[in-house]
């Protein structure tokens, strides 16, 4: 182990005997240390052909790296979910405060988060690296990244949920992430 404050590529051995080996994943270790956070838009009404755009920013000079653990897009009908690296939007939107998963921790996240619901795509720049279609019967669509989306300072991440159901839907977006110092 490299000792880099909960690196995502590390798996911590948590027992002291050789067989069997018990391990703990990075996000769980970060939670115990008070560095895992959750984000949610809660339930939102999204009109036909409109989208929920969700932006996470790791500010320049933050001194922390964000590791995306899980993304869950949900709705009561079908969605197209798009993930964009280093895209951003200028709209002020609705702010979302990261919630620490360790109820005893006073740590706060460096991330700034917002979302907006609109028809026109406000996203500027970036590179799409995921585009997924949710089944027409709705439900939850989980994406398990386990820290493989890494956001150093000065980067952004936009998730879009496009409603193409033919009518209004109820949708939400839920993301977990943790922070490290390097």
């Amino acid at each position: 182990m490299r000792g880099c404050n909960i690196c995502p590529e590390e798996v911590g051995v948590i027992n002291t005997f050789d067989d069997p080996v018990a391990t703990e994943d990075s996000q769980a270790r970060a939670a115990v240390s008070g560095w895992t956070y959750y984000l949610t838009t809660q339930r939102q009404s999204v009109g036909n052909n409109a989208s929920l755009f969700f932006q996470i920013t790791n500010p320049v000079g933050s001194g922390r790296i964000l590791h995306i653990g899980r993304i869950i897009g949900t709705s009561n009908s079908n969605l197209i979910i798009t993930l964009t690296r280093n895209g951003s939007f200028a709209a002020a939107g609705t702010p979302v405060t990261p919630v620490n998963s360790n109820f005893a921790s006073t740590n706060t996240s460096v991330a700034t988060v917002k979302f907006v619901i609109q028809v026109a795509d406000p996203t500027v720049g970036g590179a799409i690296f995921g585009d997924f279609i949710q089944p027409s019967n709705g439900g939850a669509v989980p994406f398990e990244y386990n820290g493989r989306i890494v956001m150093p300072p000065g980067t952004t991440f936009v998730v879009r949920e496009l409603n193409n159901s033919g009518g209004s839907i109820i949708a939400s977006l839920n993301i977990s992430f943790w922070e490290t110092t390097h």
Side-chain angles (χ1 to χ4, degrees), residues 4 6 16-17 19-20 29 31 45 72 82 86 116-117 119 126 128 161 163:
C4 70
I6 314 160
T16 57
F17 45 89
D19 192 24
R29 289 175 51 217
S45 178
I72 303 175
T82 305
N86 283 328
V116 65
I117 298 170
V119 173
I128 293 173
E161 290 185 327
N163 171 13

Side-chain angles (χ1 to χ4, degrees), residues 97-123:
T97 301
V99 176
N100 194 311
S101 70
N102 183 330
F103 294 7
S105 177
T106 58
N107 294 341
T108 57
S109 175
V110 297
T112 57
V113 186
K114 62 183 178 177
F115 73 92
V116 65
I117 298 170
Q118 62 186 55
V119 173
D121 185 350
T123 308

Side-chain angles (χ1 to χ4, degrees), residues 28-107:
R29 289 175 51 217
V32 169
S33 298
W35 294 108
T36 293
Y37 301 92
Y38 288 91
L39 304 166
T40 184
T41 60
Q42 301 182 346
R43 293 177 300 274
Q44 302 294 321
S45 178
V46 181
N48 187 42
N49 294 320
S51 296
L52 186 155
F53 297 91
F54 189 86
Q55 178 179 306
I56 303 171
T57 301
N58 186 358
V60 172
S62 72
R64 294 203 135 315
I65 298 170
L66 280 54
H67 305 270
I68 305 297
R70 173 187 274 185
I71 301 168
I72 303 175
T74 66
S75 77
N76 62 344
S77 190
N78 57 322
L79 289 172
I80 296 174
I81 301 170
T82 305
L83 310 178
T84 304
R85 171 189 170 174
N86 283 328
S88 63
F89 56 85
T94 301
V96 176
T97 301
V99 176
N100 194 311
S101 70
N102 183 330
F103 294 7
S105 177
T106 58
N107 294 341

